[in-house]
Amino acid sequence: MLRIALLYGGTSSEREVSIKSGEAVWAALERIGHHVLPLDIGSDEIGMLENEKVDFAFIALHGGEGENGTVQRRLEELQIPYSGSGPIASRLAMDKELSKAEFLTHRVPTAPYEVAEEFDADYRLRRMARRINWPLVVKPIDQGSSLGVTKVTCLNEVPDALGGAFKFGPRVMLEKCIVGRELTVGVVGNRALPVCEVIAPTGFYDFKAKYDKTAGTRYDTNPNLPGPTAKMAQHYARRAHHALRCHGYSRVDMMLDGDGELWVLEVNTLPGMTETSLLPKAAAQEGIGFDELVQELVDVSMEQRRKPVSNRITRILAA
Ligand SMILES: Nc1ncnc2c1ncn2[C@@H]1O[C@H](COP(=O)(O)OP(=O)(O)O)[C@@H](O)[C@H]1O
Ligand SMILES: [Mg+2]
């Protein structure tokens, strides 16, 4: 049994969700028999761990410093093994512009896009929008929870959408809107979990659809998908996970268009971890209970960190 620091809360816009993930993971770790040291990153400092002799840190934060690699870098400095991806992968996944570049390099299908800056002249913004064509989606580069994401169907709607996204930062993405079904695929270790479909009644998985129970969003862990779609979705999920150098686990969001083509939207390096969150739901579809999943996340994260890089390279060269 391990002494595990549980990092949750945080100061990002996703603090409330993180508290829920944290409570669920905390309960699971205790049921398994681990000794849990909870740290609300909103008020407690990670530095406190320096004198605590913990074996492992479970990161149940979402967004902000927990997801952009800052917390991971600090844990590296403290030489504490932790759950999930390292600082570089976290940063790449959090930044949709950097993610897109990696997706294109690693042949992960992703929708055409442009990046607008706050002081771009109107004519440039209009030209970008026309290049992508309608409908398109405007989104902040490094937010989560669908905050600042707007679907746009004509030029008149562009200024408001850009204004909403620029509230979160000086760079904003304009992306072709993929009309179709929304899928998400969890990756644990090196394997993809069963595909899950997100069915938002409005057709847009926005903040309300994500967190407000009255929105009526449904999640289908056994969706009826045409032909090889499920296998392809799992294939692209693993490819996207590796393209961003993710470790341990992640959840990859994608769209399936009317022609049966898949388009990866983003990789979430710290997906929701309440018992009803998507990754645990997908694991349950495979017969893996919540506690078992939490333990597996600890195991795969420890395992990957224990391997010295040179060993991995030797094995790759020998293969
Ligand atoms: N290109 C797109 N085409 C269609 N829907 C999109 C597109 N981009 C985003 N969305 C919708 O907006 C939601 C949030 O966008 P996403 O890129 O995943 O950002 P976030 O990091 O905020 O979750 C998605 O779950 C999806 O419903
Ligand atoms: Mg998303």
Side-chain angles (χ1 to χ4, degrees):
M1 293 303 113
L2 304 171
R3 261 174 80 76
I4 298 183
L6 175 72
L7 277 45
Y8 73 106
T11 51
S12 81
S13 52
E14 294 170 84
R15 175 177 170 79
E16 295 309 313
V17 194
S18 165
I19 291 174
K20 292 202 176 102
S21 289
E23 285 169 352
V25 172
W26 184 350
L29 290 171
E30 287 198 330
R31 280 194 298 267
I32 297 164
H34 295 298
H35 179 82
V36 180
L37 184 81
L39 239 65
D40 181 340
I41 296 304
S43 48
D44 300 326
E45 296 285 334
I46 299 180
M48 288 164 69
L49 294 177
E50 209 158 2
N51 308 313
E52 282 291 344
K53 291 223 173 328
V54 292
D55 304 303
F56 186 79
F58 199 110
I59 307 175
L61 296 159
H62 304 307
E65 296 206 327
E67 201 156 339
N68 70 10
T70 308
V71 164
Q72 290 77 2
R73 182 157 288 121
R74 191 74 186 97
L75 290 166
E76 300 264 340
E77 283 163 11
L78 294 168
Q79 300 196 327
I80 299 171
Y82 54 88
S83 57
S85 293
I88 293 175
S90 304
R91 175 87 186 85
L92 288 176
M94 186 74 168
D95 185 311
K96 293 186 168 73
E97 187 181 3
L98 297 179
S99 297
K100 285 274 198 188
E102 296 301 323
F103 290 161
L104 294 174
T105 307
H106 293 90
R107 293 177 293 118
V108 174
T110 190
Y113 69 104
E114 298 276 341
V115 173
E117 291 181 83
E118 205 165 3
F119 299 109
D120 275 337
D122 282 354
Y123 80 92
R124 288 205 62 205
L125 296 171
R126 274 199 297 273
R127 205 158 59 194
M128 283 184 209
R130 281 208 196 90
R131 267 203 294 265
I132 298 173
N133 214 344
W134 319 104
L136 58 83
V137 173
V138 174
K139 57 174 99 170
I141 294 284
D142 59 1
Q143 262 301 309
S145 292
S146 301
L147 292 166
V149 181
T150 315
K151 279 190 188 174
V152 172
T153 53
C154 64
L155 202 54
N156 292 345
E157 295 169 6
V158 172
D160 279 354
L162 285 173
F166 278 130
K167 278 193 201 131
F168 295 94
R171 292 170 77 74
V172 156
M173 184 170 287
L174 288 79
E175 185 177 47
K176 180 179 172 190
C177 181
I178 309 295
V179 181
R181 296 165 74 180
E182 180 153 0
L183 307 176
T184 188
V185 187
V187 178
V188 174
N190 192 29
R191 86 178 189 284
L193 297 179
V195 178
C196 192
E197 180 172 9
V198 175
I199 307 156
T202 60
F204 182 23
Y205 195 35
D206 58 8
F207 189 85
K208 186 165 189 276
K210 278 182 183 173
Y211 301 117
D212 186 341
K213 287 206 169 65
T214 65
T217 303
R218 290 190 300 113
Y219 304 95
D220 187 348
T221 48
N222 190 16
N224 187 6
L225 295 170
T229 303
K231 280 250 157 340
M232 284 310 289
Q234 290 179 312
H235 171 76
Y236 288 138
R238 289 180 57 225
R239 197 185 270 183
H241 174 96
H242 292 301
L244 302 190
R245 289 74 143 170
C246 291
H247 279 299
Y249 71 111
S250 70
R251 208 198 68 226
V252 183
D253 295 342
M254 54 187 89
M255 300 295 300
L256 173 65
D257 72 15
D259 297 328
E261 299 289 334
L262 288 161
W263 304 91
V264 171
L265 291 181
E266 62 158 350
V267 178
N268 300 287
T269 49
L270 290 176
M273 277 300 292
T274 70
E275 300 209 20
T276 54
S277 299
L278 286 160
L279 187 92
K281 265 189 212 289
Q285 179 66 23
E286 244 191 3
I288 299 171
F290 188 71
D291 295 2
E292 204 183 329
L293 172 67
V294 168
Q295 182 60 44
E296 191 177 353
L297 299 186
V298 174
D299 291 341
V300 291
S301 304
M302 290 274 253
E303 174 65 17
Q304 284 177 335
R305 293 241 141 60
R306 217 177 289 130
K307 281 180 209 148
V309 172
S310 58
N311 274 0
R312 258 182 273 158
I313 293 172
T314 318
R315 224 176 313 114
I316 292 163
L317 291 177

